[in-house]
Amino acid sequence: MRDAYILGIETSCDETAAAVVRSGEQVVSNVVASQIATHWPYGGVVPELASREHLRAIVPVVRRALEEAGQTYQSVDALAVTQGPGLAGALLVGVSYAKALAFALDKPLIAVNHLEGHIHAVLLEEKQKGNHEVRFPVLALVVSGGHTHLYLADEQERGWTYENVGQTRDDAAGEAFDKVAKLLALGYPGGPVIDKLARHGNREAVNFPPAHIKGRPRPGRGRRRVGADTPGMTFDFSYSGIKTAVLRYIETHNMHPAIEQRRRALAEMQSPKADGVLKLCDRQTLDLVASFQRAMVGDLVGKTLNAAGELDVATLFITGGVAANSELRAAFEREAAMAGLPAYFPSRPLSTDNAAMIAAAAYPKFLARDFAGLELSAEASLPLK
Amino acid sequence: MKEFLTHSAEETTELGRRLAPHLSPPKLVVLRGELGAGKTTLIKGIAEGFQAASQENVTSPTFTLIHEYRGPGVIVYHVDLYRVDTQRELDTLGLDDLFDENSVVLIEWGEKFLRFLRERDVEITLERLGENDRKIIFTTEARRHGEK
């Protein structure tokens, strides 16, 4: 069969993104609006928060993705768009634009779930590296600022199936990183800076108890594989408690004066780098950051490996913005190897929100001719099934 | 003004369930309280009280900004402005599209913007008294005549 070029469009949250992917296995172009803000003549900087900014960015971003791929509107084989989950107003821009484009060009339109996209980002890169040997079922941890989900993913003859076997009960893991960074005045986003600072602190300095999941177990999930004797078994997460524990630690250890000093110093610096932040951190702060990250990583790795064992999966995927965390990667690689499980991560550009993953996830649907009609609508809380 | 004391996250959620009947749409509710005060925990109960979502499925919208839960005759919007700092960023969110006859808009960190303090129907303040104890104050804003 000849190659299929799919144009992917993603506008679920902050990033306006478009990409062209060949046959679900090679990224031909991958454009994210915030990266090109300074080069692109639509005026000003694209703000972090851009749901309505998508309107301004989408046309130039798509055009650029096509140009970089050496493709045209007419030459691509299909269009793919994120239907949800995400911010309703933001999703609507991508969905409306993709529908109009598909209609005008008379091309098939494929609806993709954002979380499914994150899972396929991993598969896309493995294929790109020549690894066609990924074994199923896969347990995928999708971990980012907005999501902390565990999915059991399987490739069936009629396409992919997904089963949600765990999720956060309160805060997403990436949100905990952001909030702790904000509490300590380390800058935004919190993930990358905490990752760098944690290397300089004592991971054993502060003991954060493991997250205790309160409330009743969610019914029905994961039942199929874990057997009838453990009905309703779930592998849920909770990161609201650790955020509060960090706040308490700051209060009881009188860290506020140092934090205020750092906040003022950072406000005067032009786009501070992690090294600059490091110079403004005392031993106590670095120890707290290192201990926090260790607790987060320990919990994510522990719960995921536990789920992998219970569900008897063949492979682990770790994907989403937090998957770029170096300690998380190292811990997963180590623990998965001990459990005899291959663990795969996307590279940094494909970890965070992008459209290449949307175009890649669309490819199996393209083969199955699973196309969306023009009645397609954005769904802010679209579940992945 | 009503004051409540809760002694666990479960009790806070239960209180949310009991408050739901007092929040019949349309309502704009501002929730105040520091990080970890239990704003999202209370909203879990409110959403459940409206039969719009089960508590396990109500999670923090800090990153995703707006979560939407649909119940019979009501849409519960859970908005979090924690990472929204400027008026321009607020404008890009299009919150005006949410206000509707059937909507209950619950805003965390809404007090950052004067507008929500002016327009709120209800304010709920959560205060941390101890590890698990919370004081929760429910205030209905009486609209004075002749005032917009």
Side-chain angles (χ1 to χ4, degrees):
Chain A
M1 177 176 177
R2 76 173 187 90
D3 285 331
Y5 289 85
I6 298 181
L7 169 66
I9 296 170
E10 146 76 36
T11 62
S12 70
C13 197
D14 291 353
E15 313 282 11
T16 315
V20 176
V21 172
R22 180 177 58 78
S23 304
E25 61 179 33
Q26 199 201 352
V27 182
V28 193
S29 70
N30 187 23
V31 178
V32 179
S34 54
Q35 294 170 352
I36 59 165
T38 50
H39 309 296
W40 208 255
Y42 51 75
V45 173
V46 177
E48 205 99 50
L49 209 65
S51 56
R52 293 237 164 130
E53 297 295 321
H54 289 304
L55 267 179
R56 293 212 287 168
I58 192 156
V59 172
V61 165
V62 167
R63 196 180 294 148
R64 171 123 168 197
L66 288 170
E67 274 169 21
E68 286 187 4
Q71 295 281 327
T72 64
Y73 292 108
Q74 285 76 25
S75 69
V76 294
D77 296 285
L79 305 173
V81 67
T82 307
Q83 185 190 4
L87 212 66
L91 288 165
L92 195 62
V93 176
V95 168
S96 308
Y97 179 77
K99 268 161 59 172
L101 203 57
F103 180 70
L105 298 171
D106 196 21
K107 304 270 184 195
L109 177 64
I110 299 159
V112 175
N113 184 301
H114 180 79
L115 297 164
E116 177 181 24
H118 276 302
I119 294 170
H120 281 265
V122 182
L123 205 65
L124 165 63
E125 282 199 312
E126 288 309 312
K127 285 183 180 165
Q128 200 158 261
K129 282 186 252 174
N131 174 10
H132 293 269
E133 305 295 306
V134 173
R135 286 165 48 231
F136 296 92
V138 166
L139 182 68
L141 171 68
V142 183
V143 59
S144 66
H147 307 282
T148 307
H149 284 86
L150 277 176
Y151 284 99
L152 199 55
D154 212 343
E155 193 178 22
Q156 309 279 354
E157 239 167 73
R158 293 287 301 155
W160 282 69
T161 61
Y162 308 93
E163 186 183 357
N164 176 221
V165 293
Q167 67 186 54
T168 183
R169 292 287 183 92
D170 38 54
D171 296 4
E175 177 181 341
F177 275 90
D178 282 342
K179 283 194 166 158
V180 165
K182 189 156 174 175
L183 283 173
L184 289 167
L186 304 173
Y188 182 92
V193 66
I194 286 180
D195 192 3
K196 292 214 170 67
L197 296 179
R199 289 167 210 166
H200 303 274
N202 175 6
R203 304 168 353 130
E204 319 277 337
V206 186
N207 183 32
F208 292 107
H212 168 61
I213 305 295
K214 290 177 187 167
R216 57 181 190 255
R218 291 182 299 119
R221 306 276 168 79
R223 184 178 294 174
R224 189 162 52 93
R225 280 170 191 277
V226 291
D229 52 330
T230 52
M233 194 160 185
T234 59
F235 307 93
D236 283 352
F237 305 88
S238 168
Y239 296 114
S240 179
I242 190 168
K243 161 195 80 186
T244 314
V246 170
L247 178 62
R248 296 297 150 242
Y249 187 91
I250 291 171
E251 282 171 352
T252 52
H253 292 76
N254 195 29
M255 293 173 71
H256 280 302
I259 291 170
E260 270 319 303
Q261 214 175 344
R262 183 162 51 245
R263 198 183 306 282
R264 280 194 300 272
L266 280 178
E268 282 170 20
M269 290 162 72
Q270 289 261 326
S271 56
K273 294 268 172 350
D275 285 345
V277 182
L278 176 61
K279 292 196 184 84
L280 299 170
C281 291
D282 54 14
R283 168 67 33 210
Q284 191 179 34
T285 305
L286 294 172
D287 287 352
L288 179 59
V289 164
S291 303
F292 161 75
Q293 178 166 289
R294 177 192 183 220
M296 292 297 296
V297 167
D299 191 77
L300 284 165
V301 174
K303 291 225 170 82
T304 304
L305 264 295
N306 177 35
E310 294 285 347
L311 301 170
D312 197 21
V313 299
T315 304
L316 277 183
F317 282 7
I318 300 95
T319 182
V322 179
N325 182 283
S326 57
E327 189 176 333
L328 186 76
R329 285 193 179 221
F332 260 117
E333 273 164 4
R334 194 175 57 237
E335 300 287 324
M338 274 167 61
L341 278 173
Y344 300 117
F345 309 81
S347 65
R348 196 173 289 263
L350 290 194
S351 292
T352 49
D353 288 355
N354 66 86
M357 68 185 198
I358 302 303
Y363 183 62
K365 296 176 199 277
F366 177 79
L367 293 180
R369 303 187 62 76
D370 180 6
F371 300 138
L374 286 177
E375 72 285 352
L376 177 72
S377 64
E379 278 193 47
S381 13
L382 183 70
L384 177 57
K385 285 186 283 215
Chain B
M1 194 178 96
K2 275 211 173 101
E3 214 177 279
F4 306 89
L5 289 178
T6 63
H7 308 287
S8 65
E10 288 78 8
E11 281 187 39
T12 303
T13 303
E14 175 54 34
L15 175 65
R17 262 192 295 272
R18 286 194 285 128
L19 290 179
H22 302 278
L23 295 171
S24 52
K27 283 281 182 307
L28 171 61
V29 183
V30 171
L31 291 105
R32 302 177 81 148
E34 61 171 319
L35 278 185
K39 298 182 291 296
T40 295
T41 305
L42 186 74
I43 289 173
K44 281 174 179 280
I46 295 175
E48 208 162 72
F50 280 114
Q51 296 173 273
S54 67
Q55 53 168 298
E56 307 77 49
N57 290 322
V58 175
T59 56
S60 167
T62 298
F63 187 80
T64 38
L65 302 164
I66 305 171
H67 286 175
E68 184 183 314
Y69 306 105
R70 286 168 187 266
V74 63
I75 306 177
V76 178
Y77 292 102
H78 180 188
V79 182
D80 188 336
L81 301 181
Y82 181 76
R83 68 190 186 101
V84 178
D85 290 317
T86 66
Q87 184 62 43
R88 177 167 151 67
E89 289 173 332
L90 184 67
D91 292 343
T92 67
L93 270 180
L95 289 185
D96 286 321
D97 300 343
L98 309 185
F99 303 116
D100 191 339
E101 266 174 33
N102 294 326
S103 60
V104 173
V105 182
L106 306 159
I107 307 189
E108 295 190 33
W109 304 101
E111 70 274 15
K112 287 163 81 171
F113 298 94
L114 196 60
R115 172 188 164 183
F116 298 119
L117 290 181
R118 233 177 9 232
E119 295 178 5
R120 78 203 144 170
D121 301 299
V122 172
E123 177 170 301
I124 302 176
T125 307
L126 296 95
E127 209 178 299
R128 184 179 185 274
L129 302 177
E131 191 56 37
N132 296 308
D133 299 344
R134 300 289 187 273
K135 180 160 88 181
I136 296 161
I137 305 166
F138 185 97
T139 318
T140 309
E141 302 290 324
R143 295 246 175 256
R144 273 171 294 174
H145 288 290
E147 202 180 81
K148 278 194 180 171

